Amino acid sequence: MYRRSLLNVATVCLLLSALQARADTVTSIPPSVATPDVVETSRGRFEFKDGAPTEATAKALYDQHDFAFAYRAFMDTMRGVSIRALRRGMEDMGVKKNEVMVFTELMDAKSLFLTPNADTIYVMGWLDLSDGPVVIESPPEFLGIVQDAWFHWVTDMGSPGPDRGLGGKYLIVPPGYTGELPQGGYFIAHAKTNGILWFGRSFLKDGRDPKPSVDLIKTHTKVYPFEPGGVGTSIASFLAGTARLGKITEPPATVFHEGSGKVMNTLPPNDWSYFELLNQVVQSEPATALDVELMGPIAALGIVKGKPFAPDERMKGIMTDAVAVANAASRNLLMNPRDPDWFYYPDSSWYNMLFESGYEFETPIPEITAEGAKPFPPTGYRQMDARTTFFYGITGITPAMAMRLTGVGSQYLITARDADKKYFDGSKTYRVKLPKSIPEANFWSLTVYDNQTRSMLDTPQRYPRAGSQSYPSPAAEAEADGTTTVYFSPTQPDGVGRGNWIQTMPQKGWFVCLRLYSPLEHFFDKSWRISEIELVE
């Protein structure tokens, strides 16, 4: 009996020892996975009791959580809000769906547009595909694009498009359309949204007269609803029972609006109204028009298809704060890019992110060789800074903007800093030199933009540009060695011709864009290089 008792005691001791050892093992949590009772961060002090947040911490973390959603919503949807703002600007000028705005005397600095040019004739309009496909008849000698409501590329028109500059009929088809489509006669493009914005440019005749191109635009440009079973449907398909026959009627006359000299605002807002405009896009488009991952942060803010958007004062305050920070971050990316691969030349301030990111901000622009185009393999990731920078400062995205093909389209370089890497001062004088044999088969230009609006700088010149065309201001003149020098200053420097001077404004910061229309090989191989912009005084 005594021995049995001793055995029982020993067994109990062993069990207790094992349990204690197990308890010690269970409570030994690696520091890397533990949340301490006090967490000090740049976002504030967060307190927990054995992993559970205090009431104050929970509130602060939800504020931070919602701020992050609102910040990301701005970054991810700026493009859609930009398209909506552009449409709203046209609507404010009386432009209805299927109508067209033409800038017969070019676009000037009175209206707010993201980095337009003052060299070509702009043509633009908006469509609503809710009632079915719409036809755009593109004029000859045109350079145009069709964008959906989230600023996705739908198709090119004109020189980079399938009509290759001869003009043609483009049939824009809405999402989910199951009706009849023509067998021929149209270039068919399927859109993911009902809201569509299209625009394009035509060149001046001989670089000095817009009228012939305007006449061509107004003669050939037409926008009208598609008639199923009409042009493009054969009698044979009707007899085979695969199509019905519709009316062959003359489309209604297209209404044209004048854009030159008009004061209109097409810029996306950077205050609380940003989210109101974003809600308009969400409500008017299919819920699946944008990637679900991108729609997630928007929905977390209460912007959901088919539901009222009515944030409380707390959420409205957080979103207002977030859009201010996101706007500031976007502006910093545009004015102060940090990716060294964006800069076109070594130790230069001239940049263009599209060579590295491509038009989808994912894969670099294909190389062009004697054997043809050599696409790069997909990177598998979105270049977020490139996308934000582009849509914060520019309107319109297409593969035609991101190619190394000579003699087609146009290429761009932007700079916001001088040769000493300082921002431009509107009260000072600067100059830039373009070496001889400027690499363009059509024409070149420099255009100055207001830092604040990213629109053309509004000065008494009206058209803040210099270039090889003699309209709307005199052509820039080259020096005896073939070099062309352009000056930027509030007043015209002594001895400098009008065509070689772009006016700036004291107290106004600015940046500049070089455009090469139909660029040549010595731009792409970088054997030609524009100088950095130097401070003169």
Side-chain angles (χ1 to χ4, degrees):
M1 178 70 71
Y2 177 69
R3 176 184 283 181
R4 186 179 297 170
S5 296
L6 289 175
L7 288 172
N8 288 341
V9 170
T11 301
V12 170
C13 289
L14 287 171
L15 288 171
L16 289 173
S17 178
L19 288 171
Q20 182 61 47
R22 184 176 180 183
D24 291 343
T25 301
V26 170
T27 57
S28 181
I29 301 174
S32 61
V33 302
T35 299
D37 289 348
V38 176
V39 180
E40 298 285 359
T41 76
S42 61
R43 302 299 182 191
R45 176 188 177 100
F46 303 125
E47 298 180 354
F48 297 84
K49 184 176 182 181
D50 192 25
T54 65
E55 185 174 343
T57 289
K59 180 181 182 302
L61 288 173
Y62 272 123
D63 287 350
Q64 171 63 25
H65 195 57
D66 292 335
F67 177 92
F69 282 139
Y71 179 92
R72 183 178 168 187
F74 183 93
M75 294 298 199
D76 288 341
T77 66
M78 185 191 312
R79 48 201 172 137
V81 174
S82 182
I83 281 282
R84 193 72 181 191
L86 183 47
R87 170 176 162 175
R88 182 181 64 181
M90 285 192 285
E91 288 177 317
D92 289 344
M93 293 293 102
V95 181
K96 302 179 177 64
K97 68 177 182 179
N98 299 347
E99 296 181 348
V100 180
M101 176 171 275
V102 184
F103 291 77
T104 62
E105 296 180 7
L106 311 190
M107 192 180 294
D108 63 16
K110 292 302 179 185
S111 288
L112 299 180
F113 279 79
L114 291 176
T115 53
N117 67 66
D119 308 298
T120 62
I121 303 156
Y122 275 101
V123 187
M124 60 186 67
W126 63 274
L127 316 177
D128 183 351
L129 305 181
S130 299
D131 295 328
V134 174
V135 178
I136 303 174
E137 293 194 16
S138 171
E141 302 173 22
F142 192 58
L143 192 67
I145 51 177
V146 178
Q147 316 272 203
D148 77 7
W150 289 112
F151 229 136
H152 292 124
W153 173 72
V154 177
T155 187
D156 288 320
M157 301 185 294
S159 299
D163 74 83
R164 299 298 296 275
L166 298 179
K169 296 181 179 181
Y170 287 80
L171 183 61
I172 314 302
V173 182
Y177 180 75
T178 58
E180 297 173 20
L181 291 175
Q183 298 170 313
Y186 297 87
F187 302 112
I188 299 176
H190 293 265
K192 294 181 179 179
T193 65
N194 291 315
I196 294 292
L197 193 138
W198 67 274
F199 49 92
R201 297 162 292 166
S202 288
F203 298 130
L204 309 185
K205 183 68 172 177
D206 300 323
R208 61 174 180 267
D209 186 2
K211 189 177 185 307
S213 295
V214 170
D215 291 342
L216 201 65
I217 290 166
K218 291 189 174 183
T219 299
H220 293 276
T221 304
K222 298 178 182 178
V223 184
Y224 52 89
F226 171 66
E227 179 68 40
V231 173
T233 300
S234 67
I235 298 296
S237 62
F238 167 71
L239 295 175
T242 59
R244 65 186 179 89
L245 293 183
K247 298 178 181 178
I248 304 296
T249 58
E250 184 69 21
T254 299
V255 176
F256 291 92
H257 296 260
E258 177 58 67
S260 294
K262 297 294 177 66
V263 178
M264 53 193 294
N265 178 15
T266 70
L267 302 184
N270 53 26
D271 59 8
W272 165 254
S273 62
Y274 178 92
F275 294 106
E276 294 176 323
L277 216 55
L278 174 59
N279 184 57
Q280 289 181 26
V281 181
V282 171
Q283 298 305 329
S284 59
E285 298 302 338
T288 56
L290 196 63
D291 182 87
V292 293
E293 288 292 331
L294 298 181
M295 291 299 289
I298 304 173
L301 301 174
I303 300 176
V304 179
K305 173 80 171 180
K307 295 184 179 181
F309 174 48
D312 58 23
E313 288 304 311
R314 169 193 163 274
M315 182 62 87
K316 188 172 182 179
I318 290 171
M319 293 169 71
T320 300
D321 188 33
V323 76
V325 176
N327 173 69
S330 302
R331 174 173 291 280
N332 181 49
L333 286 169
L334 177 69
M335 302 299 298
N336 183 35
R338 63 180 178 179
D339 189 333
D341 293 333
W342 290 10
F343 296 98
Y344 200 62
Y345 307 105
D347 192 32
S348 175
S349 293
W350 291 101
Y351 76 91
N352 181 338
M353 76 293 292
L354 293 184
F355 285 100
E356 293 300 316
S357 72
Y359 82 100
E360 291 187 317
F361 310 101
E362 190 269 337
T363 303
I365 294 175
E367 294 284 358
I368 304 298
T369 70
E371 292 75 35
K374 291 181 62 177
F376 288 95
T379 62
Y381 59 85
R382 192 80 64 203
Q383 297 185 37
M384 308 302 285
D385 286 357
R387 188 181 71 182
T388 296
T389 303
F390 185 90
F391 287 114
Y392 191 75
I394 300 169
T395 295
I397 188 66
T398 162
M401 297 181 72
M403 59 184 180
R404 294 184 172 92
L405 195 60
T406 59
V408 178
S410 52
Q411 283 298 337
Y412 313 83
L413 293 177
I414 297 171
T415 184
R417 294 177 183 267
D418 66 17
D420 297 318
K421 302 297 190 290
K422 295 180 180 179
Y423 294 115
F424 299 120
D425 184 333
S427 66
K428 297 180 178 179
T429 298
Y430 300 84
R431 69 183 172 203
V432 64
K433 292 183 179 294
L434 294 87
K436 66 178 181 179
S437 301
I438 298 172
E440 46 79 16
N442 198 335
F443 64 94
W444 65 269
S445 74
L446 290 162
T447 309
V448 167
Y449 299 100
D450 186 321
N451 283 352
Q452 282 284 357
T453 64
R454 294 92 73 202
S455 305
M456 283 189 279
L457 185 66
D458 191 8
T459 73
Q461 274 188 340
R462 186 181 175 191
Y463 300 98
R465 49 82 64 189
S468 56
Q469 295 192 142
S470 58
Y471 184 95
S473 55
E477 297 180 4
E479 298 163 25
D481 64 356
T483 300
T484 302
T485 304
V486 174
Y487 288 81
F488 310 86
S489 60
T491 57
Q492 188 170 345
D494 293 340
V496 174
R498 170 63 184 83
N500 294 68
W501 168 58
I502 303 177
Q503 188 173 25
T504 59
M505 297 291 285
Q507 311 305 320
K508 276 284 187 181
W510 55 273
F511 65 97
V512 63
C513 178
L514 167 69
R515 287 178 170 87
L516 301 172
Y517 293 88
S518 300
L520 300 178
E521 180 60 29
H522 51 298
F523 171 74
F524 295 112
D525 67 18
K526 302 182 184 179
S527 58
W528 181 90
R529 174 175 174 170
I530 187 173
S531 79
E532 302 302 295
I533 299 179
E534 303 170 326
L535 176 65
V536 177
E537 59 176 335

